[in-house]
Amino acid sequence: MLKRTRKRPLLLTVIMVLLFVTACSSGSNNAEPEALSNTSNEQGEQPSAEAPLVNASGFPIVNEPVKLEIVAGLPAGSHPDWNDVMLFNEYEKKTGIDIEWQMISTSVLNEQRNIILASGELPDVFYAAGIPDGDVMKYGQQRMFIPLNDLIDNYAPNIKKLLDENPDIRKGLTMPDGNIYSIPRVYDPAFTSVLINPKQWINTKWAETLNLKLPETTDEFYDYLKAIKEGDPNGNGKADEIPFGADGIGRLTKYLYGAWGLQNRGSRHAYVDVNPETDELRFFPTDMKYKEMLEYIHKLYSEELIDPDIFTVNSSELLARLGEDVYGVYNSWDPESWANIENFTGAPVLAGPHGDKLVVSNSPLTGLGHFVITNANEHPEATMRWIDYFFSDEGTEMFFMGFEGVTFKRNADGTTEFLDEIVKNPKGLSFDQAIAQYLVWPGGGMPGIVSQKYFRGGESLPLSVEAAKLLEPYVPEETWPPFSYTTEENTRMAAIDSDISTYIREMQAKFITGDVPFSEWETYVETIEKMGLAEYMEIYQAAYERYKNG
């Protein structure tokens, strides 16, 4: 068996770093942080350890056992300890690779991940660790995260096939220096229901009670909500109905953007799209159409057609209220698997006052930092083969469906379905609770492909699929993945974007609620310009040119 000198356990490292930070906090705060270059040599080469023989294909991946340390984000709802879950225990037998999982709750993941990165005592891999796009580039250039281009070409046929068949995904992963430093989570481009999400849902029982047809324009949507408020559809003689609800105002703005032709290149770009009149980049929060949309939402809010708590209500509170049957329309996750209610159907696309009728779609590339290999990893080839399997058809099935005869059965036509142990659990466990006994995907954030064939979340249910079919014809032809920035661009963009984004969110709420009148619009625009909008758009333009030129 190959011997390996193990690093200090990561949790011990985290504790030591926290103690060090605490001890230093009473002293000077002016000292520069220690350079991170001691984690790799000047050329950025990998540690010179004799690698095990890695089989080019098939299983096992290695002929002698290998152990890897992986730091992973633990979302609520997932199996609590991935060191003792069937998925990875069985995969270890298959591959010869034993994973020592260091689980960190997603509630403290950002802080703990940054402490580990600052310590220099790195795991072999960060997995589902929520690494921001800018940090992927930053630590990649420092060679704390290693380039993956050659590893993908030589050891990851499934990932290579995905990138070859989807050039936009490859362009989104490739940094300005030409390197790929991370493996993503990808939505199957054909899985429309997950790309258009969350959706708008209408209470069909109330619509039938009031003899209302589903709204197809913004004017009809206003009339629809007003009819809900005034019509007593629940029949209790009280004005306790809430015409529209959502877990955040962003749900409503995303739904209405398309009615004003905004965010027309996808939701990965919060404030920049293409002006259809000039075919140039547009910062739309200063555009008059954006102002018109806010005026429309203000009208809904001022007439109490929107939940007055929409700026503060969270998903758990929304879910509880849905159970009380108080909403005529809501925007969030699907009514069946998430809310366990049956009297809702998908809402159609709304046409706006200028004839715009679009749907804001998500990019198939959900984010970059789902899986990175660090320079502490002595077995990058084996590691790449380990993750590549989860991009194959068989690996995707195992990840999302589990194991035949244990969690699912295979039908005569080749389709798969979960056993009653999962969908009708005898102990009364919910679907997510039952599947989390064997698998880790509830909660999301893991690298891999989310496809309709194997993913059995709410987006795969018939109601969501049918709702997506209504919306699909109105998805723009081009949806941008995230753009990448040079180190210098990322530093400037992060500073400018933080100020501008905070101000936009604050003013959006104030305009909608009426705390700031729309007569202050020009002051709002001038303030954004003074925050560095010209430089912001200059950096965006450079990133856009790199994206276009591939």
Side-chain angles (χ1 to χ4, degrees):
M1 180 183 297
L2 290 176
K3 295 183 178 179
R4 180 178 177 192
T5 302
R6 301 305 299 163
K7 301 179 284 296
R8 286 175 293 174
L10 286 171
L11 292 180
L12 176 60
T13 299
V14 169
I15 293 170
M16 293 175 65
V17 172
L18 283 170
L19 289 172
F20 174 78
V21 171
T22 302
C24 291
S25 64
S26 60
S28 172
N29 290 323
N30 298 321
E32 291 294 326
E34 185 177 347
L36 297 176
S37 60
N38 61 351
T39 59
S40 61
N41 61 34
E42 293 181 0
Q43 289 75 36
E45 297 173 354
Q46 300 309 304
S48 57
E50 182 180 350
L53 177 62
V54 178
N55 295 315
S57 61
F59 293 104
I61 291 175
V62 291
N63 292 329
E64 296 186 42
V66 163
K67 193 166 190 175
L68 299 176
E69 289 181 354
I70 299 183
V71 163
L74 179 64
S78 183
H79 191 285
D81 183 5
W82 295 1
N83 292 295
D84 188 27
V85 64
M86 185 175 186
L87 172 69
F88 291 129
N89 287 342
E90 292 300 313
Y91 193 43
E92 177 188 347
K93 298 174 186 176
K94 195 178 186 76
T95 61
I97 299 174
D98 178 21
I99 307 299
E100 181 182 325
W101 293 97
Q102 298 280 354
M103 311 305 302
I104 300 177
S105 169
T106 51
S107 63
V108 295
L109 179 58
N110 289 340
E111 176 187 1
Q112 297 300 313
R113 183 193 62 243
N114 290 337
I115 289 173
I116 293 171
L117 286 166
S119 76
E121 292 286 340
L122 301 177
D124 296 300
V125 169
F126 284 99
Y127 179 103
I131 301 171
D133 295 353
D135 282 358
V136 172
M137 176 65 180
K138 171 185 174 181
Y139 293 112
Q141 285 203 324
Q142 293 179 8
R143 290 301 187 264
M144 292 176 71
F145 302 159
I146 68 172
L148 305 180
N149 306 50
D150 291 343
L151 290 171
I152 291 172
D153 287 343
N154 297 317
Y155 296 95
N158 298 300
I159 296 173
K160 185 176 187 304
K161 181 174 183 289
L162 172 71
L163 301 185
D164 289 345
E165 293 179 352
N166 298 275
D168 276 2
I169 295 177
R170 180 184 289 276
K171 287 194 289 186
L173 278 178
T174 303
M175 297 291 103
D177 63 1
N179 286 318
I180 294 173
Y181 294 108
S182 61
I183 302 301
R185 180 180 179 87
V186 173
Y187 294 149
D188 183 345
F191 192 3
T192 308
S193 181
V194 77
L195 293 174
I196 306 173
N197 212 39
K199 304 175 184 66
Q200 187 108 323
W201 303 99
I202 288 182
N203 190 325
T204 54
K205 183 173 64 176
W206 288 9
E208 292 171 2
T209 298
L210 298 177
N211 196 27
L212 299 173
K213 76 179 190 70
L214 300 187
E216 296 185 355
T217 69
T218 50
D219 286 342
E220 290 178 2
F221 186 57
Y222 166 80
D223 292 338
Y224 188 95
L225 297 181
K226 197 168 182 65
I228 292 291
K229 179 175 176 58
E230 298 174 350
D232 190 26
N234 64 11
N236 65 358
K238 301 177 182 178
D240 55 353
E241 294 88 351
I242 301 175
F244 177 87
D247 47 345
I249 195 67
R251 303 286 198 209
L252 180 58
T253 56
K254 183 179 178 181
Y255 179 65
L256 292 175
Y257 276 151
W260 274 268
L262 305 174
Q263 210 174 67
N264 55 41
R265 291 299 183 270
S267 59
R268 285 292 297 175
H269 297 265
Y271 303 128
V272 177
D273 63 2
V274 170
N275 188 327
E277 297 178 2
T278 64
D279 203 33
E280 296 178 348
L281 293 187
R282 170 178 64 177
F283 185 80
F284 65 77
T286 57
D287 191 271
M288 290 305 294
K289 284 191 172 183
Y290 179 80
K291 179 188 177 186
E292 287 182 17
M293 185 198 71
L294 292 185
E295 289 173 328
Y296 175 82
I297 300 175
H298 168 67
K299 179 181 179 181
L300 302 182
Y301 187 88
S302 64
E303 297 186 24
E304 299 181 345
L305 304 182
I306 298 176
D307 189 340
D309 299 328
I310 195 168
F311 292 97
T312 58
V313 67
N314 59 38
S315 59
S316 297
E317 292 166 338
L318 177 69
L319 189 61
R321 294 181 185 184
L322 282 168
E324 298 169 358
D325 196 26
V326 297
Y327 289 118
V329 184
Y330 85 92
N331 190 307
S332 193
W333 309 110
D334 74 286
E336 292 183 346
S337 69
W338 182 66
N340 195 29
I341 51 179
E342 298 179 350
N343 56 305
F344 280 79
T345 191
V349 182
L350 297 180
H354 305 287
D356 298 293
K357 194 174 183 180
L358 298 175
V359 172
V360 176
S361 178
N362 303 314
S363 168
L365 183 59
T366 67
L368 307 185
H370 294 280
F371 184 96
V372 298
I373 301 176
T374 76
N375 64 14
N377 191 312
E378 298 171 7
H379 312 294
E381 299 87 357
T383 305
M384 182 56 69
R385 281 214 56 208
W386 184 91
I387 189 60
D388 183 65
Y389 180 65
F390 292 112
F391 285 81
S392 70
D393 198 56
E394 298 83 0
T396 301
E397 179 185 83
M398 184 176 78
F399 188 84
F400 285 110
M401 295 297 298
F403 302 91
E404 188 171 2
V406 178
T407 57
F408 76 88
K409 66 179 179 180
R410 199 177 306 279
N411 300 318
D413 61 359
T415 60
T416 57
E417 61 180 289
F418 283 114
L419 299 173
D420 285 350
E421 166 70 20
I422 305 301
V423 296
K424 298 177 182 178
N425 186 267
K427 298 179 181 178
L429 300 178
S430 69
F431 173 83
D432 282 0
Q433 290 170 332
I435 201 64
Q437 297 178 108
Y438 307 94
L439 308 177
V440 302
W441 62 261
M446 294 78 174
I449 299 177
V450 180
S451 68
Q452 189 171 345
K453 183 177 180 181
Y454 295 120
F455 178 66
R456 294 295 187 270
E459 294 81 1
S460 294
L461 296 177
L463 188 66
S464 284
V465 172
E466 288 301 313
K469 287 180 180 179
L470 291 175
L471 310 177
E472 190 173 287
Y474 303 98
V475 175
E477 292 184 6
E478 183 178 12
T479 301
W480 291 335
F483 293 163
S484 59
Y485 303 97
T486 66
T487 301
E488 295 77 14
E489 289 172 344
N490 190 65
T491 300
R492 288 298 301 142
M493 179 62 88
I496 299 172
D497 181 68
S498 177
D499 291 341
I500 287 179
S501 295
T502 299
Y503 181 69
I504 287 173
R505 288 192 298 269
E506 290 176 352
M507 292 303 294
Q508 182 187 82
K510 290 178 179 179
F511 281 132
I512 290 172
T513 59
D515 289 348
V516 173
F518 283 94
S519 59
E520 297 293 320
W521 178 260
E522 292 303 322
T523 301
Y524 156 80
V525 172
E526 291 170 2
T527 302
I528 292 177
E529 290 173 347
K530 291 176 182 177
M531 288 179 169
L533 180 59
E535 184 180 3
Y536 178 99
M537 291 305 294
E538 182 181 337
I539 295 171
Y540 227 105
Q541 185 69 43
Y544 176 55
E545 294 296 332
R546 284 193 296 269
Y547 163 75
K548 286 199 302 182
N549 297 327

